Amino acid sequence: MATARVLAVANTTGAATASCLLSKATPLFPKHGVSFARRLPSTTRRSFACRAIYNPQVQVKEEGQAETLDYRVFFLDGSGKKVSPWHDIPLHLGDGVFNFVVEIPKESSAKMEVATDEQHTPIKQDTKKGKLRYYPYNINWNYGLLPQTWEDPSFANSEVEGAFGDNDPVDVVEIGESQRKVGEILKVKPLGALAMIDEGELDWKIVAISLDDRKASLVNDVDDVEKHFPGTLTAIRDWFRDYKIPDGKPANKFGLGNKAANKDYALKVITEANESWAKLVKRSISAGELSLV
């Protein structure tokens, strides 16, 4: 019988200062003033004013046993209702700060990910041929996603070898020193972006740091990362390049000259992925098997 327990998640989205790319105050499309609403199964409609900003307290609820096929980490709002860490957690907090949802804690190997095709998109362990997936070695950074982003598989990026998006939220590699927990929500600032090409699909890796890390004030761009975290950008690139090789697959490739792009480019990637997500939940683009709830 599956078990369930509720764990508190640190509140990192202060209601007083938070804002959303899809709110009126900071519109996603400032030139055109476009706004959207996502249709729910009921007759009510919720605007993209991002209620999570004003009611930011969330909890994670584990269902099932860790490292089993049934294990899920759900997110609950203040009323105890399940919400989606992909769709319902706001992306933008203002001043270049973003919410980051941890899927895989640093120094662990279970390949955890948001289940984009399941209702409420809980975090689960990925599978292959019915078996749980693990990295061949521990990942050395906290890894997860930017909510309210989507890499459109119908869009060919002319700047990165014409590769199409991988149909997932944008990934984040958080380089801070603390090991985080599955489902933890952190305030991060982007520092750069690596354009990984995985079997022909573009899979952005945004390099970021949590604002509560002791070195956060020292790093604001890729050059600062090299100065205060020497060798980290190369290590991240090499880790993601090589992690599939032990399974007999070829190494992943990287665009943009095989180097990390700067902070401004990372912000451009995030903005474009947020726009793609907005079109997805508006149903301007086919969702396929993706859950929009």
mmCIF file of all heavy atoms in Angstrom, residues 60-95:
data_model
loop_
_atom_site.group_PDB
_atom_site.id
_atom_site.type_symbol
_atom_site.label_atom_id
_atom_site.label_comp_id
_atom_site.label_asym_id
_atom_site.label_seq_id
_atom_site.Cartn_x
_atom_site.Cartn_y
_atom_site.Cartn_z
ATOM 1 N N VAL A 60 5.337 19.877 -0.289
ATOM 2 C CA VAL A 60 5.453 18.714 -1.154
ATOM 3 C C VAL A 60 4.926 17.496 -0.408
ATOM 4 O O VAL A 60 5.131 17.351 0.804
ATOM 5 C CB VAL A 60 6.912 18.460 -1.615
ATOM 6 C CG1 VAL A 60 7.389 19.588 -2.499
ATOM 7 C CG2 VAL A 60 7.851 18.262 -0.444
ATOM 8 N N LYS A 61 4.227 16.671 -1.126
ATOM 9 C CA LYS A 61 3.630 15.460 -0.566
ATOM 10 C C LYS A 61 4.180 14.260 -1.315
ATOM 11 O O LYS A 61 3.992 14.109 -2.516
ATOM 12 C CB LYS A 61 2.106 15.498 -0.696
ATOM 13 C CG LYS A 61 1.412 14.256 -0.159
ATOM 14 C CD LYS A 61 -0.093 14.331 -0.429
ATOM 15 C CE LYS A 61 -0.801 13.082 0.081
ATOM 16 N NZ LYS A 61 -2.248 13.102 -0.254
ATOM 17 N N GLU A 62 4.879 13.407 -0.584
ATOM 18 C CA GLU A 62 5.423 12.192 -1.184
ATOM 19 C C GLU A 62 4.383 11.086 -1.145
ATOM 20 O O GLU A 62 3.765 10.844 -0.106
ATOM 21 C CB GLU A 62 6.665 11.738 -0.423
ATOM 22 C CG GLU A 62 7.834 12.704 -0.504
ATOM 23 C CD GLU A 62 9.032 12.210 0.299
ATOM 24 O OE1 GLU A 62 8.854 12.009 1.516
ATOM 25 O OE2 GLU A 62 10.099 12.017 -0.289
ATOM 26 N N GLU A 63 4.188 10.447 -2.274
ATOM 27 C CA GLU A 63 3.299 9.290 -2.347
ATOM 28 C C GLU A 63 4.093 8.100 -2.859
ATOM 29 O O GLU A 63 4.806 8.196 -3.859
ATOM 30 C CB GLU A 63 2.106 9.569 -3.250
ATOM 31 C CG GLU A 63 1.187 10.659 -2.708
ATOM 32 C CD GLU A 63 -0.082 10.835 -3.510
ATOM 33 O OE1 GLU A 63 -0.277 10.088 -4.492
ATOM 34 O OE2 GLU A 63 -0.886 11.711 -3.150
ATOM 35 N N GLY A 64 3.978 6.978 -2.160
ATOM 36 C CA GLY A 64 4.762 5.798 -2.507
ATOM 37 C C GLY A 64 6.135 5.838 -1.862
ATOM 38 O O GLY A 64 6.492 6.774 -1.150
ATOM 39 N N GLN A 65 6.922 4.819 -2.122
ATOM 40 C CA GLN A 65 8.261 4.695 -1.561
ATOM 41 C C GLN A 65 9.296 5.179 -2.558
ATOM 42 O O GLN A 65 9.198 4.901 -3.760
ATOM 43 C CB GLN A 65 8.553 3.234 -1.188
ATOM 44 C CG GLN A 65 7.635 2.669 -0.122
ATOM 45 C CD GLN A 65 7.834 3.338 1.228
ATOM 46 O OE1 GLN A 65 8.937 3.781 1.543
ATOM 47 N NE2 GLN A 65 6.781 3.411 2.025
ATOM 48 N N ALA A 66 10.266 5.931 -2.061
ATOM 49 C CA ALA A 66 11.338 6.426 -2.926
ATOM 50 C C ALA A 66 12.016 5.267 -3.645
ATOM 51 O O ALA A 66 12.110 4.157 -3.118
ATOM 52 C CB ALA A 66 12.354 7.207 -2.107
ATOM 53 N N GLU A 67 12.473 5.532 -4.854
ATOM 54 C CA GLU A 67 13.155 4.558 -5.701
ATOM 55 C C GLU A 67 12.265 3.359 -6.016
ATOM 56 O O GLU A 67 12.727 2.220 -6.081
ATOM 57 C CB GLU A 67 14.477 4.127 -5.070
ATOM 58 C CG GLU A 67 15.445 5.298 -4.913
ATOM 59 C CD GLU A 67 16.833 4.888 -4.481
ATOM 60 O OE1 GLU A 67 17.526 4.262 -5.298
ATOM 61 O OE2 GLU A 67 17.197 5.179 -3.334
ATOM 62 N N THR A 68 10.970 3.636 -6.228
ATOM 63 C CA THR A 68 10.039 2.651 -6.764
ATOM 64 C C THR A 68 9.291 3.303 -7.920
ATOM 65 O O THR A 68 9.267 4.529 -8.058
ATOM 66 C CB THR A 68 9.025 2.156 -5.728
ATOM 67 O OG1 THR A 68 8.119 3.232 -5.396
ATOM 68 C CG2 THR A 68 9.716 1.666 -4.462
ATOM 69 N N LEU A 69 8.637 2.487 -8.739
ATOM 70 C CA LEU A 69 7.904 3.007 -9.892
ATOM 71 C C LEU A 69 6.711 3.845 -9.484
ATOM 72 O O LEU A 69 6.247 4.693 -10.259
ATOM 73 C CB LEU A 69 7.447 1.842 -10.776
ATOM 74 C CG LEU A 69 8.554 1.023 -11.452
ATOM 75 C CD1 LEU A 69 7.952 -0.182 -12.167
ATOM 76 C CD2 LEU A 69 9.340 1.881 -12.448
ATOM 77 N N ASP A 70 6.198 3.637 -8.272
ATOM 78 C CA ASP A 70 5.003 4.352 -7.827
ATOM 79 C C ASP A 70 5.315 5.679 -7.142
ATOM 80 O O ASP A 70 4.397 6.451 -6.846
ATOM 81 C CB ASP A 70 4.193 3.483 -6.844
ATOM 82 C CG ASP A 70 3.659 2.231 -7.509
ATOM 83 O OD1 ASP A 70 3.350 2.286 -8.716
ATOM 84 O OD2 ASP A 70 3.555 1.199 -6.825
ATOM 85 N N TYR A 71 6.560 5.964 -6.890
ATOM 86 C CA TYR A 71 6.924 7.150 -6.110
ATOM 87 C C TYR A 71 6.615 8.425 -6.882
ATOM 88 O O TYR A 71 6.971 8.574 -8.059
ATOM 89 C CB TYR A 71 8.409 7.102 -5.773
ATOM 90 C CG TYR A 71 8.903 8.259 -4.925
ATOM 91 C CD1 TYR A 71 8.462 8.412 -3.620
ATOM 92 C CD2 TYR A 71 9.809 9.178 -5.451
ATOM 93 C CE1 TYR A 71 8.925 9.463 -2.836
ATOM 94 C CE2 TYR A 71 10.284 10.224 -4.673
ATOM 95 C CZ TYR A 71 9.832 10.366 -3.365
ATOM 96 O OH TYR A 71 10.284 11.407 -2.605
ATOM 97 N N ARG A 72 5.934 9.372 -6.191
ATOM 98 C CA ARG A 72 5.636 10.674 -6.763
ATOM 99 C C ARG A 72 5.802 11.748 -5.691
ATOM 100 O O ARG A 72 5.503 11.520 -4.512
ATOM 101 C CB ARG A 72 4.194 10.755 -7.304
ATOM 102 C CG ARG A 72 3.871 9.787 -8.438
ATOM 103 C CD ARG A 72 4.579 10.165 -9.708
ATOM 104 N NE ARG A 72 4.161 9.339 -10.830
ATOM 105 C CZ ARG A 72 4.682 8.125 -11.113
ATOM 106 N NH1 ARG A 72 5.633 7.611 -10.332
ATOM 107 N NH2 ARG A 72 4.254 7.459 -12.164
ATOM 108 N N VAL A 73 6.257 12.923 -6.094
ATOM 109 C CA VAL A 73 6.329 14.085 -5.222
ATOM 110 C C VAL A 73 5.360 15.117 -5.780
ATOM 111 O O VAL A 73 5.606 15.696 -6.840
ATOM 112 C CB VAL A 73 7.759 14.662 -5.140
ATOM 113 C CG1 VAL A 73 7.772 15.923 -4.279
ATOM 114 C CG2 VAL A 73 8.719 13.623 -4.580
ATOM 115 N N PHE A 74 4.232 15.306 -5.075
ATOM 116 C CA PHE A 74 3.219 16.266 -5.496
ATOM 117 C C PHE A 74 3.414 17.582 -4.762
ATOM 118 O O PHE A 74 3.983 17.626 -3.665
ATOM 119 C CB PHE A 74 1.818 15.730 -5.202
ATOM 120 C CG PHE A 74 1.366 14.643 -6.135
ATOM 121 C CD1 PHE A 74 1.513 13.303 -5.796
ATOM 122 C CD2 PHE A 74 0.792 14.953 -7.364
ATOM 123 C CE1 PHE A 74 1.099 12.296 -6.660
ATOM 124 C CE2 PHE A 74 0.377 13.955 -8.237
ATOM 125 C CZ PHE A 74 0.530 12.631 -7.889
ATOM 126 N N PHE A 75 2.907 18.654 -5.351
ATOM 127 C CA PHE A 75 2.958 19.983 -4.745
ATOM 128 C C PHE A 75 1.552 20.377 -4.320
ATOM 129 O O PHE A 75 0.599 20.196 -5.082
ATOM 130 C CB PHE A 75 3.526 20.996 -5.741
ATOM 131 C CG PHE A 75 5.001 20.852 -5.979
ATOM 132 C CD1 PHE A 75 5.521 19.716 -6.597
ATOM 133 C CD2 PHE A 75 5.890 21.841 -5.580
ATOM 134 C CE1 PHE A 75 6.882 19.577 -6.810
ATOM 135 C CE2 PHE A 75 7.251 21.710 -5.786
ATOM 136 C CZ PHE A 75 7.749 20.578 -6.404
ATOM 137 N N LEU A 76 1.431 20.929 -3.110
ATOM 138 C CA LEU A 76 0.145 21.330 -2.560
ATOM 139 C C LEU A 76 0.149 22.823 -2.276
ATOM 140 O O LEU A 76 1.132 23.363 -1.762
ATOM 141 C CB LEU A 76 -0.152 20.579 -1.262
ATOM 142 C CG LEU A 76 -0.015 19.046 -1.266
ATOM 143 C CD1 LEU A 76 -0.304 18.499 0.121
ATOM 144 C CD2 LEU A 76 -0.931 18.418 -2.293
ATOM 145 N N ASP A 77 -0.970 23.479 -2.579
ATOM 146 C CA ASP A 77 -1.071 24.895 -2.235
ATOM 147 C C ASP A 77 -1.543 25.050 -0.792
ATOM 148 O O ASP A 77 -1.663 24.069 -0.049
ATOM 149 C CB ASP A 77 -1.984 25.638 -3.215
ATOM 150 C CG ASP A 77 -3.450 25.214 -3.123
ATOM 151 O OD1 ASP A 77 -3.828 24.500 -2.166
ATOM 152 O OD2 ASP A 77 -4.232 25.611 -4.016
ATOM 153 N N GLY A 78 -1.816 26.279 -0.374
ATOM 154 C CA GLY A 78 -2.182 26.526 1.016
ATOM 155 C C GLY A 78 -3.452 25.851 1.457
ATOM 156 O O GLY A 78 -3.654 25.606 2.652
ATOM 157 N N SER A 79 -4.340 25.530 0.506
ATOM 158 C CA SER A 79 -5.592 24.860 0.852
ATOM 159 C C SER A 79 -5.479 23.351 0.800
ATOM 160 O O SER A 79 -6.449 22.645 1.072
ATOM 161 C CB SER A 79 -6.702 25.317 -0.106
ATOM 162 O OG SER A 79 -6.453 24.842 -1.426
ATOM 163 N N GLY A 80 -4.297 22.844 0.453
ATOM 164 C CA GLY A 80 -4.094 21.405 0.379
ATOM 165 C C GLY A 80 -4.390 20.811 -0.986
ATOM 166 O O GLY A 80 -4.307 19.591 -1.157
ATOM 167 N N LYS A 81 -4.713 21.642 -1.965
ATOM 168 C CA LYS A 81 -4.989 21.148 -3.311
ATOM 169 C C LYS A 81 -3.689 20.969 -4.085
ATOM 170 O O LYS A 81 -2.741 21.720 -3.915
ATOM 171 C CB LYS A 81 -5.900 22.125 -4.051
ATOM 172 C CG LYS A 81 -7.301 22.238 -3.475
ATOM 173 C CD LYS A 81 -8.136 23.213 -4.292
ATOM 174 C CE LYS A 81 -9.540 23.322 -3.724
ATOM 175 N NZ LYS A 81 -10.374 24.284 -4.504
ATOM 176 N N LYS A 82 -3.678 19.956 -4.933
ATOM 177 C CA LYS A 82 -2.506 19.712 -5.756
ATOM 178 C C LYS A 82 -2.368 20.784 -6.831
ATOM 179 O O LYS A 82 -3.354 21.184 -7.448
ATOM 180 C CB LYS A 82 -2.593 18.330 -6.408
ATOM 181 C CG LYS A 82 -2.426 17.174 -5.427
ATOM 182 C CD LYS A 82 -2.559 15.830 -6.133
ATOM 183 C CE LYS A 82 -2.358 14.682 -5.137
ATOM 184 N NZ LYS A 82 -2.550 13.355 -5.776
ATOM 185 N N VAL A 83 -1.151 21.246 -7.008
ATOM 186 C CA VAL A 83 -0.842 22.204 -8.066
ATOM 187 C C VAL A 83 0.352 21.670 -8.848
ATOM 188 O O VAL A 83 1.063 20.760 -8.401
ATOM 189 C CB VAL A 83 -0.533 23.609 -7.500
ATOM 190 C CG1 VAL A 83 -1.757 24.199 -6.827
ATOM 191 C CG2 VAL A 83 0.651 23.561 -6.532
ATOM 192 N N SER A 84 0.576 22.252 -9.998
ATOM 193 C CA SER A 84 1.664 21.803 -10.857
ATOM 194 C C SER A 84 2.929 22.612 -10.614
ATOM 195 O O SER A 84 2.898 23.844 -10.688
ATOM 196 C CB SER A 84 1.258 21.943 -12.323
ATOM 197 O OG SER A 84 2.385 21.816 -13.184
ATOM 198 N N PRO A 85 4.054 21.950 -10.347
ATOM 199 C CA PRO A 85 5.306 22.700 -10.214
ATOM 200 C C PRO A 85 5.756 23.313 -11.534
ATOM 201 O O PRO A 85 6.555 24.247 -11.539
ATOM 202 C CB PRO A 85 6.304 21.635 -9.740
ATOM 203 C CG PRO A 85 5.735 20.345 -10.238
ATOM 204 C CD PRO A 85 4.246 20.501 -10.162
ATOM 205 N N TRP A 86 5.228 22.801 -12.638
ATOM 206 C CA TRP A 86 5.565 23.330 -13.954
ATOM 207 C C TRP A 86 4.689 24.537 -14.310
ATOM 208 O O TRP A 86 5.184 25.576 -14.734
ATOM 209 C CB TRP A 86 5.404 22.231 -14.995
ATOM 210 C CG TRP A 86 5.737 22.612 -16.405
ATOM 211 C CD1 TRP A 86 6.469 23.692 -16.827
ATOM 212 C CD2 TRP A 86 5.357 21.909 -17.588
ATOM 213 N NE1 TRP A 86 6.567 23.706 -18.200
ATOM 214 C CE2 TRP A 86 5.902 22.624 -18.699
ATOM 215 C CE3 TRP A 86 4.637 20.747 -17.828
ATOM 216 C CZ2 TRP A 86 5.716 22.196 -20.012
ATOM 217 C CZ3 TRP A 86 4.468 20.324 -19.143
ATOM 218 C CH2 TRP A 86 4.999 21.039 -20.207
ATOM 219 N N HIS A 87 3.381 24.425 -14.090
ATOM 220 C CA HIS A 87 2.460 25.458 -14.544
ATOM 221 C C HIS A 87 2.072 26.478 -13.475
ATOM 222 O O HIS A 87 1.765 27.623 -13.805
ATOM 223 C CB HIS A 87 1.183 24.816 -15.088
ATOM 224 C CG HIS A 87 1.406 23.864 -16.218
ATOM 225 N ND1 HIS A 87 2.113 24.211 -17.352
ATOM 226 C CD2 HIS A 87 1.039 22.564 -16.385
ATOM 227 C CE1 HIS A 87 2.159 23.170 -18.177
ATOM 228 N NE2 HIS A 87 1.513 22.167 -17.611
ATOM 229 N N ASP A 88 2.047 26.093 -12.222
ATOM 230 C CA ASP A 88 1.460 26.938 -11.179
ATOM 231 C C ASP A 88 2.465 27.681 -10.312
ATOM 232 O O ASP A 88 2.083 28.583 -9.567
ATOM 233 C CB ASP A 88 0.543 26.099 -10.278
ATOM 234 C CG ASP A 88 -0.672 25.584 -11.035
ATOM 235 O OD1 ASP A 88 -1.267 26.370 -11.790
ATOM 236 O OD2 ASP A 88 -1.027 24.399 -10.882
ATOM 237 N N ILE A 89 3.718 27.304 -10.364
ATOM 238 C CA ILE A 89 4.757 28.070 -9.669
ATOM 239 C C ILE A 89 5.182 29.200 -10.594
ATOM 240 O O ILE A 89 5.490 28.961 -11.762
ATOM 241 C CB ILE A 89 5.969 27.185 -9.322
ATOM 242 C CG1 ILE A 89 5.562 26.006 -8.449
ATOM 243 C CG2 ILE A 89 7.051 28.016 -8.634
ATOM 244 C CD1 ILE A 89 5.016 26.378 -7.106
ATOM 245 N N PRO A 90 5.187 30.444 -10.143
ATOM 246 C CA PRO A 90 5.575 31.545 -11.039
ATOM 247 C C PRO A 90 7.045 31.458 -11.425
ATOM 248 O O PRO A 90 7.876 30.994 -10.651
ATOM 249 C CB PRO A 90 5.291 32.794 -10.206
ATOM 250 C CG PRO A 90 5.373 32.334 -8.792
ATOM 251 C CD PRO A 90 4.846 30.930 -8.788
ATOM 252 N N LEU A 91 7.329 31.910 -12.625
ATOM 253 C CA LEU A 91 8.713 31.922 -13.103
ATOM 254 C C LEU A 91 9.483 33.113 -12.564
ATOM 255 O O LEU A 91 10.529 32.967 -11.935
ATOM 256 C CB LEU A 91 8.729 31.941 -14.631
ATOM 257 C CG LEU A 91 10.079 32.233 -15.299
ATOM 258 C CD1 LEU A 91 11.081 31.126 -15.006
ATOM 259 C CD2 LEU A 91 9.897 32.424 -16.803
ATOM 260 N N HIS A 92 8.968 34.282 -12.794
ATOM 261 C CA HIS A 92 9.734 35.511 -12.621
ATOM 262 C C HIS A 92 9.409 36.187 -11.299
ATOM 263 O O HIS A 92 8.248 36.324 -10.940
ATOM 264 C CB HIS A 92 9.407 36.453 -13.782
ATOM 265 C CG HIS A 92 10.398 37.542 -13.993
ATOM 266 N ND1 HIS A 92 10.361 38.730 -13.302
ATOM 267 C CD2 HIS A 92 11.464 37.632 -14.823
ATOM 268 C CE1 HIS A 92 11.352 39.502 -13.706
ATOM 269 N NE2 HIS A 92 12.033 38.874 -14.622
ATOM 270 N N LEU A 93 10.461 36.590 -10.578
ATOM 271 C CA LEU A 93 10.287 37.266 -9.294
ATOM 272 C C LEU A 93 10.724 38.724 -9.350
ATOM 273 O O LEU A 93 10.712 39.408 -8.341
ATOM 274 C CB LEU A 93 11.076 36.527 -8.207
ATOM 275 C CG LEU A 93 10.576 35.112 -7.903
ATOM 276 C CD1 LEU A 93 11.538 34.391 -6.986
ATOM 277 C CD2 LEU A 93 9.195 35.157 -7.302
ATOM 278 N N GLY A 94 11.123 39.188 -10.505
ATOM 279 C CA GLY A 94 11.583 40.564 -10.647
ATOM 280 C C GLY A 94 13.070 40.704 -10.398
ATOM 281 O O GLY A 94 13.697 39.865 -9.737
ATOM 282 N N ASP A 95 13.683 41.754 -10.959
ATOM 283 C CA ASP A 95 15.107 42.048 -10.761
ATOM 284 C C ASP A 95 16.015 40.909 -11.200
ATOM 285 O O ASP A 95 17.058 40.658 -10.589
ATOM 286 C CB ASP A 95 15.381 42.407 -9.299
ATOM 287 C CG ASP A 95 14.641 43.660 -8.857
ATOM 288 O OD1 ASP A 95 14.489 44.568 -9.696
ATOM 289 O OD2 ASP A 95 14.214 43.722 -7.692
#
